[in-house]
Amino acid sequence: MIYGSDTCHYCLDTKKYAEEHQLKFIYFDIDKDEKALKEMLTKLRQNNISTSNLNLPVVDKNGLVFTNEVDFNSF
């Protein structure tokens, strides 16, 4: 799952990367989907990731949650 915003170039780059590498994913635009926003915030808190200075996108790979501060290629 990729949580992001269509106004965030990191989010769009992540979507493009996933598409180019034929990765299966679901994309949620948190600006348009309040339920997805709440779900993302809950997942971040459960994984002890700060929500005070949020970095998008947020990726949930089978329960492993990380933000754009990590090298996605390592996962």
Side-chain angles (χ1 to χ4, degrees):
M1 292 181 209
I2 300 172
Y3 298 91
S5 168
D6 286 345
T7 60
C8 164
H9 74 88
Y10 294 114
C11 301
L12 298 177
D13 289 348
T14 301
K15 271 178 55 176
K16 184 179 178 181
Y17 175 89
E19 291 167 349
E20 288 174 349
H21 289 85
Q22 299 177 341
L23 303 174
K24 294 180 184 178
F25 70 96
I26 301 170
Y27 177 78
F28 297 101
D29 185 340
I30 60 167
D31 292 331
K32 298 175 183 172
D33 188 339
E34 188 173 336
K35 181 180 175 186
L37 172 61
K38 290 179 182 178
E39 180 179 284
M40 178 195 73
L41 292 172
T42 298
K43 288 180 181 184
L44 288 169
R45 289 184 192 108
Q46 289 173 341
N47 286 275
N48 296 317
I49 299 172
S50 174
T51 58
S52 63
N53 190 14
L54 189 60
N55 290 308
L56 292 176
V58 172
V59 176
D60 177 348
K61 181 181 178 189
N62 301 319
L64 177 62
V65 178
F66 51 94
T67 65
N68 73 353
E69 295 179 327
V70 201
D71 179 8
F72 292 146
N73 294 319
S74 63
F75 294 96

